[in-house]
Amino acid sequence: MQETAKPASGAGGWGGAPQPALTLPGGRTVNPWMVLASLMFGFFMSLLDATIVNIALPNIQDKLQTDLTTVSWVLNAYNLVFAVLLVTMGRFADQYGRKRLFMIGMVLFSLGSLLCAVSPNIGFLIGARALQAIGSAALNPVSLAVITVVFPANKRGAAIGVWGAAAGLAAALGPVLGGVLVQAFDWRWIFFINLPFCIVGLFMVYRYMPETKDANATKSVDILGLLTLTLGMFCLVLAIIQGSDWGWTDGRTLGLFAGSVLGFVLFFFVEVKQAQPILDFKLFRIRSFSAANASIFMFSVAIQGAFLMLVLFFTNAQGYDQIGAAYGLIPLPLASFVVSAVAGRLSGSGKLNPRIMGIIGIGTVAVGLGLLVTLGPTDGYFDTAWRAVIIGLGMGLCFTSFPTMALADVPRNKVGVGSGAFNTFRQLGFALGVAILIGLFTTALKDDLAQARTRSAEIVRAETRLPEGLRTSIATGLLSANNAAQSGGGEASNSRNGGQQQVDLIKQIETNPNIPAAVKAQVEPLRPVLLDLNRRIAFEFKTGVVQAFSLIWLVATVIAILGLIPAFFTSAPKRAPAGAASDRPVAVME
C-alpha cells in the first residue's frame, strides 16, 4: 500500500524511500504524540464501554424489567455489529480517508451513547447499542492504521505499546467506574459519561490529526460478503441464545442453525470470487496465521463469556451489589494489564519468544477457568479473586503474543488484510462467547433451581419440629413453584436477578389463604425453627446457582484447552539482523 503522505523522520515508509512530512492545514507540522493523544479519546471510550456495560447488566435488567436472555443482547448487538463491520470500516478508511472515517465513527458512537442513555425500553437500548457499535468499528482499526502512518519506525513500537496499554487500562477501569456510576446514579450514566470525552476527542482529532488514505485502494464495497456474513452470524448467535428457551430441537432453533450454515457457505463462495474480499481465504494457507486465528477465536469465546459470568457470579451467587462486584472483578483485568505491559516490553526487546508466551498464556487461562469450577457455595471473595488473577495473567500473555504470531509469516502487502481478519475472528469469538455461555447458563440455572426446590421440600417434610399440616403446606408451595419454573413461566427462568432466590417461610405462611388461622397462630412460637429452615433452604438455592456457574466455567475451560492445541502450530516472527530497522506494520489486538 502507498499512502498519500508518509512521515519523514527517517521512517523510510513501507516502500523504502523517505517520504515528505505529514502536515496539517496552515502548514503546521504533525506531532505524532498529539495525534496519539487525540486518538485515545475515541479508542479508549469504545473499549471502556464494553467492560463498563458488563457490570451494569444486572441493573439494566432490573430497571428495564426484562430477563437475562434479552438483556444479554445489550452485549450481543454491540459485539455482533462490531465484528461484522470491523474489516469493512478499515477498508472505508483506506478508501475515503482515515481522519474522515474516525470523526464519523466518533459522531456515531456519541449519538449511540446518547440514545442508549435515554432508552425507554430494552428494545430501544439494544438498537442504540448497535448504532454505537457501528461507530466503534470505525474507531478501533483506524486508530492503529493512523499510528502506523504518523510514527517513524523507531518510535512506532512505543506508540503501539501505549495504545495496547490503553486497552488494558480500559478493561481495568471499566468495572470500577461502572460500579461507581450505577451505585451512585443508575445504568444510564455509563453512557452519558461518554459524551464529554467524545466532544473533546472530536476537537483534538480535527485539530491535530492529518488526513491519510491508501492511494491504490479501489472504491468498491463487498456488499454481498457483508450481507452473507451478517446473515450467518446473526442466525447462529440468535439460535444459541434462544435455543435454551425454545428447545434445541424446536423448528425455529433448527431453522436458525440452517440459516447460519447457508449464510456462511454463501459468504465463502462470495469471498473467493472477490478482488478485495472482507476475508481473504488465501491467507489461511499460511499455517501460523490459521493457527493463531483458531486460538484467538477459542480464547475469545472462553474469556468474553467467562468475564460476563464473573459479574453475574459476584452479584447473584455471592450477593454483591454493583460496586462490590466491580471491586471483585478488578483483579482480573488489572493482572492482565500489568502482564501485557511487562511482556510487551520484553518481547519487543527479544527477551521473550511470542510463541512460547502465547502457549503459556492460553494454558494459564485454561487453568484459571478450571479452578473456578471448584468454587463452592461457602467460598468468598478471596477464593474467587486469586483464581481470577490467574486468568488475568494468561490473558495478558495472550494479548501480547497472538497478534504477532498471526502476522509472523504474512507477506508485507497482506498485513493490513491479515490484521483485519485476525481482529474479526477475535470479535466473532467475543460475540459467540456471550451467546453460548448465557444460553447454557439459563438452561442449567432452570434445572439446578428446580432441583434445589425439590431438595428444599424434602428438608421441610423432614422437619419434625413443625406440625404435619404446616410442613405439607410449605412443601406443596415449594413444589408448585418448581412445576411453574419447569413449564417456563417461573422465576427460575425469568428471575430478574439472574437466579438468586430468597425464601421467607414466615411471610409465606402469613399470606397463604389456604393455611388455617389456627395454624398461622403457631408461627410466632415456631419462629426459630422457621428461621433455621429459611437458612437451610437459602443454602440449597445458592448451591443450585453455584452449580449452574460451575457448568459454565467447565465449558469455558474446555474451549480454552481447544484453543491451546493450535497455538503449538504458530510461528514467532523472524527477527531482523542486528542494526536493521524494520518498518513492518504491527497488528495489536484491541
Side-chain angles (χ1 to χ4, degrees):
M1 291 192 306
Q2 297 297 317
E3 305 299 327
T4 57
K6 294 285 184 176
S9 308
W14 296 344
Q19 302 291 332
L22 293 170
T23 58
L24 295 163
R28 291 179 294 123
T29 301
V30 173
N31 182 333
W33 294 107
M34 287 303 296
V35 174
L36 179 61
S38 304
L39 290 169
M40 284 299 101
F41 280 90
F43 174 67
F44 185 83
M45 294 311 297
S46 69
L47 293 176
L48 184 73
D49 232 52
T51 55
I52 206 172
V53 169
N54 274 336
I55 202 70
L57 279 186
N59 189 259
I60 295 173
Q61 186 181 352
D62 181 61
K63 293 295 179 64
L64 294 185
Q65 300 289 294
T66 186
D67 55 70
L68 183 60
T69 299
T70 302
V71 81
S72 71
W73 272 97
V74 175
L75 289 177
N76 292 332
Y78 188 91
N79 287 329
L80 183 56
V81 173
F82 184 95
V84 170
L85 294 182
L86 190 67
V87 177
T88 301
M89 285 296 186
R91 184 163 300 129
F92 283 168
D94 287 343
Q95 293 171 324
Y96 302 109
R98 299 185 179 101
K99 177 177 180 178
R100 178 181 301 171
L101 195 77
F102 194 88
M103 293 184 71
I104 292 173
M106 289 194 73
V107 171
L108 291 176
F109 184 80
S110 301
L111 179 59
S113 297
L114 178 61
L115 293 176
C116 286
V118 299
S119 296
N121 54 59
I122 189 65
F124 192 97
L125 176 59
I126 291 171
R129 283 283 285 171
L131 177 61
Q132 242 194 342
I134 296 174
S136 184
L139 300 177
N140 283 265
V142 176
S143 61
L144 179 58
V146 171
I147 291 171
T148 303
V149 171
V150 301
F151 277 89
N154 61 336
K155 295 182 180 179
R156 190 179 300 146
I160 291 177
V162 173
W163 185 78
L169 185 61
L173 286 180
V176 175
L177 181 59
V180 169
L181 291 173
V182 170
Q183 195 79 6
F185 306 103
D186 70 3
W187 64 268
R188 297 180 187 276
W189 282 90
I190 69 173
F191 299 111
F192 276 130
I193 198 174
N194 292 336
L195 301 179
F197 288 95
C198 287
I199 291 171
V200 173
L202 266 173
F203 172 78
M204 291 188 66
V205 167
Y206 172 78
R207 174 85 178 160
Y208 297 109
M209 185 187 297
E211 182 62 280
T212 63
K213 63 177 69 172
D214 180 358
N216 295 328
T218 68
K219 302 300 183 183
S220 62
V221 179
D222 186 7
I223 298 296
L224 284 177
L226 179 61
L227 292 177
T228 51
L229 177 60
T230 302
L231 172 67
M233 278 301 303
F234 181 82
C235 290
L236 179 60
V237 172
L238 186 59
I240 292 171
I241 290 176
Q242 294 299 131
S244 59
D245 287 337
W246 293 345
W248 297 107
T249 59
D250 185 89
R252 292 168 294 180
T253 306
L254 296 177
L256 285 171
F257 279 124
S260 173
V261 172
L262 176 63
F264 287 129
V265 170
L266 290 175
F267 175 69
F268 173 79
F269 283 110
V270 167
E271 294 304 283
V272 295
K273 295 180 180 180
Q274 288 285 342
Q276 293 189 349
I278 291 177
L279 186 61
D280 189 349
F281 285 96
K282 293 179 182 177
L283 289 175
F284 292 98
R285 298 173 185 172
I286 302 172
R287 189 187 72 176
S288 184
F289 179 81
S290 298
N293 275 287
S295 285
I296 202 61
F297 176 78
M298 294 295 182
F299 165 83
S300 300
V301 170
I303 283 300
Q304 179 69 359
F307 199 84
L308 170 61
M309 298 312 295
L310 267 176
V311 175
L312 298 177
F313 182 78
F314 278 119
T315 56
N316 299 324
Q318 296 193 338
Y320 285 35
D321 57 16
Q322 264 73 35
I323 189 66
Y327 285 118
L329 194 63
I330 198 172
L332 190 155
L334 191 59
S336 175
F337 170 65
V338 172
V339 171
S340 293
V342 175
R345 185 178 182 86
L346 294 176
S347 177
S349 64
K351 296 180 181 179
L352 286 180
N353 185 310
R355 178 174 176 270
I356 301 301
M357 286 168 49
I359 293 171
I360 294 175
I362 197 167
T364 304
V365 167
V367 170
L369 290 170
L371 288 170
L372 288 178
V373 178
T374 64
L375 285 172
T378 60
D379 288 323
Y381 167 74
F382 288 105
D383 300 296
T384 309
W386 70 262
R387 291 168 168 85
V389 167
I390 293 176
I391 297 173
L393 296 175
M395 283 177 61
L397 292 174
C398 291
F399 284 149
T400 305
S401 58
F402 275 105
T404 304
M405 293 187 296
L407 302 183
D409 298 327
V410 172
R412 178 174 297 185
N413 65 338
K414 294 288 186 180
V415 166
V417 176
S419 177
F422 173 81
N423 283 313
T424 298
F425 269 88
R426 172 183 56 83
Q427 199 63 29
L428 291 178
F430 285 164
L432 287 179
V434 173
I436 291 170
L437 297 189
I438 286 291
L440 289 174
F441 177 70
T442 54
T443 300
L445 184 64
K446 186 188 301 184
D447 294 338
D448 287 330
L449 289 183
Q451 293 175 18
R453 289 186 178 279
T454 300
R455 292 194 300 268
S456 297
E458 293 172 354
I459 290 173
V460 171
R461 288 196 182 103
E463 182 51 77
T464 56
R465 291 176 293 176
L466 294 179
E468 183 176 354
L470 189 56
R471 279 182 278 161
T472 301
S473 297
I474 296 173
T476 300
L478 287 169
L479 292 176
S480 296
N482 188 11
N483 293 332
Q486 290 177 330
S487 69
E491 49 196 314
S493 61
N494 293 304
S495 171
R496 289 193 179 91
N497 61 8
Q500 191 180 6
Q501 302 292 309
Q502 299 294 331
V503 178
D504 187 341
L505 295 181
I506 296 175
K507 183 177 179 180
Q508 178 182 331
I509 295 169
E510 291 175 344
T511 58
N512 191 335
N514 298 320
I515 297 179
V519 175
K520 292 181 179 181
Q522 301 175 5
V523 167
E524 193 57 36
L526 294 173
R527 181 176 291 272
V529 178
L530 292 172
L531 291 176
D532 179 58
L533 276 178
N534 276 347
R535 179 187 56 79
R536 293 161 63 189
I537 291 173
F539 181 80
E540 290 297 330
F541 280 122
K542 184 174 182 179
T543 300
V545 173
V546 171
Q547 286 175 343
F549 280 105
S550 295
L551 173 64
I552 302 309
W553 308 140
L554 179 60
V555 171
T557 302
V558 172
I559 294 172
I561 292 173
L562 292 176
L564 175 63
I565 297 172
F568 285 97
F569 296 92
T570 57
S571 302
K574 299 178 180 63
R575 298 191 59 81
S582 172
D583 197 48
R584 179 172 180 159
V586 181
V588 177
M589 184 162 49
E590 294 96 16

